[in-house]
Amino acid sequence: MFAARLLTRAAVARPAVSFMAVRSFTAPSAPLMQDILKDLYIKELKGYKPTPDAKGADASSQVKEFKVPVAPATPAIDASADLAAWEQANVEIVDAVSEEAVEEEEEEEEEEEEEAHH
């Protein structure tokens, strides 16, 4: 009896397939989602009519005429007066070196030269 119940359940659970199942695809006639922005953009592009430019009038307003710059004037210099003032100026020597310091330095250099020759 238990075996008979299993057979009947198996037969009920799986019906006999007498035809071949075929899956078919159909293309929808209208798109499911419309892109409103894309359609509006394409519509505006098709409706755009560029205005012709007046080439002569537009170019002349954008370009300035070239003018050579004015040469600078040479400065007026009285070199002889400046030279005479410089020659007459008193020269002050700061931190003057005494003659003794110069002589000592010369002696040291002579000694170094003599040691180098030996």
Side-chain angles (χ1 to χ4, degrees):
M1 183 162 194
F2 183 71
R5 283 188 187 169
L6 286 177
L7 282 178
T8 56
R9 284 188 183 174
V12 172
R14 190 176 57 164
V17 179
S18 62
F19 64 92
M20 181 129 187
V22 177
R23 182 176 285 184
S24 63
F25 293 100
T26 58
S29 59
L32 297 176
M33 294 182 63
Q34 293 179 344
D35 192 356
I36 296 171
L37 291 177
K38 178 181 171 186
D39 294 340
L40 181 64
Y41 183 71
I42 291 173
K43 176 184 163 191
E44 291 297 322
L45 280 178
K46 288 180 180 177
Y48 176 71
K49 303 289 182 203
T51 57
D53 294 335
K55 293 182 180 179
D58 189 35
S60 64
S61 67
Q62 297 295 324
V63 179
K64 291 183 179 180
E65 186 176 328
F66 177 73
K67 295 180 182 176
V68 179
V70 179
T74 56
I77 299 175
D78 186 15
S80 61
D82 291 341
L83 184 60
W86 179 74
E87 288 176 348
Q88 292 177 359
N90 293 332
V91 179
E92 295 180 17
I93 299 176
V94 180
D95 295 334
V97 179
S98 67
E99 291 181 22
E100 295 174 3
V102 173
E103 291 175 1
E104 287 178 8
E105 189 172 325
E106 289 175 356
E107 290 176 4
E108 289 176 3
E109 288 177 4
E110 290 175 4
E111 290 175 3
E112 289 176 4
E113 288 177 7
E114 289 176 6
E115 291 176 5
H117 290 294
H118 290 293

